Amino acid sequence: MSTIFEEIRKDHDIQRTLLDLLVKTHGDSDGREELFKRVKTALQTHEAAEERYFYSPLMAYDNGIEKSRHGIAEHHEMDEVIELMESTDFSSSAWLGYAKKLQDMALHHFEDEESQFFISAGQKFEADEKTRLGREYRSEMERLNS
């Protein structure tokens, strides 16, 4: 069974690919809009499951509170950029600028988690908790995407 870290990393890899494809789109094409919907869904379902099954358990530890707050704040910042993208003409250069900003923010967020937060949480969570959280996270992702 996969750990919470492995499950989150799988989704990060998918999101990296989707964001890379998104910033390579041109104009107000059906492909751009469809890809944006996929990116939005992928990021927002991931945020919800991650906050529930990674950040919430991490908050149980004193030095996990600050990391959790930081990660959740970054989720909100990405959501604000997604909202800007939704209210901007898909064919405008501003839209593509927001897409690149979202990509930069997400890549920074994934790097924070994978290089710092996972190590810290890995020292706190027991082995069985890591696999239980991974199972619960994946189950929540499946529920949110159904």
Side-chain angles (χ1 to χ4, degrees), residues 53-105:
Y53 296 105
F54 178 67
Y55 285 118
S56 185
L58 188 57
M59 280 190 193
Y61 302 91
D62 287 343
N63 57 359
I65 293 172
E66 188 176 328
K67 286 178 174 47
S68 296
R69 285 183 178 159
H70 179 83
I72 293 168
E74 288 182 344
H75 287 171
H76 291 296
E77 290 167 5
M78 286 187 280
D79 290 343
E80 288 171 1
V81 174
I82 289 170
E83 287 177 21
L84 284 171
M85 292 170 76
E86 289 177 317
S87 63
T88 302
D89 189 304
F90 276 79
S91 61
S92 74
S93 60
W95 192 92
L96 185 58
Y98 292 140
K100 288 178 178 175
K101 180 177 181 175
L102 180 64
Q103 181 185 37
D104 289 345
M105 293 170 80

Side-chain angles (χ1 to χ4, degrees), residues 1-4 6-7 130-132 134-136 138:
M1 190 52 151
S2 297
T3 67
I4 185 66
E6 293 162 330
E7 292 296 335
K130 292 173 190 174
T131 54
R132 178 182 55 79
R135 188 173 55 251
E136 291 172 346
R138 184 55 52 205

Side-chain angles (χ1 to χ4, degrees), residues 2-143:
S2 297
T3 67
I4 185 66
F5 313 115
E6 293 162 330
E7 292 296 335
I8 289 173
R9 200 173 274 118
K10 282 182 209 172
D11 288 339
H12 285 177
D13 289 344
I14 292 166
Q15 293 161 22
R16 282 183 181 98
T17 301
L18 289 173
L19 287 160
D20 190 49
L21 293 170
L22 185 67
V23 299
K24 292 177 181 171
T25 61
H26 301 284
D28 188 9
S29 65
D30 289 341
R32 178 177 269 186
E33 189 168 350
E34 181 58 35
L35 202 48
F36 171 67
K37 288 178 183 174
R38 287 182 62 196
V39 165
K40 177 184 171 186
T41 298
L43 287 173
Q44 291 182 336
T45 56
H46 171 74
E47 289 171 0
E50 188 177 67
E51 287 176 16
R52 198 167 282 140
Y53 296 105
F54 178 67
Y55 285 118
S56 185
L58 188 57
M59 280 190 193
Y61 302 91
D62 287 343
N63 57 359
I65 293 172
E66 188 176 328
K67 286 178 174 47
S68 296
R69 285 183 178 159
H70 179 83
I72 293 168
E74 288 182 344
H75 287 171
H76 291 296
E77 290 167 5
M78 286 187 280
D79 290 343
E80 288 171 1
V81 174
I82 289 170
E83 287 177 21
L84 284 171
M85 292 170 76
E86 289 177 317
S87 63
T88 302
D89 189 304
F90 276 79
S91 61
S92 74
S93 60
W95 192 92
L96 185 58
Y98 292 140
K100 288 178 178 175
K101 180 177 181 175
L102 180 64
Q103 181 185 37
D104 289 345
M105 293 170 80
L107 294 178
H108 166 83
H109 178 72
F110 301 159
E111 180 64 24
D112 276 355
E113 288 179 342
E114 293 174 6
S115 68
Q116 298 173 34
F117 297 6
F118 286 4
I119 293 165
S120 179
Q123 295 167 346
K124 294 167 181 53
F125 297 164
E126 296 294 328
D128 61 334
E129 184 177 20
K130 292 173 190 174
T131 54
R132 178 182 55 79
L133 290 170
R135 188 173 55 251
E136 291 172 346
Y137 169 88
R138 184 55 52 205
S139 175
E140 179 74 353
M141 287 297 292
E142 289 168 5
R143 185 187 72 76

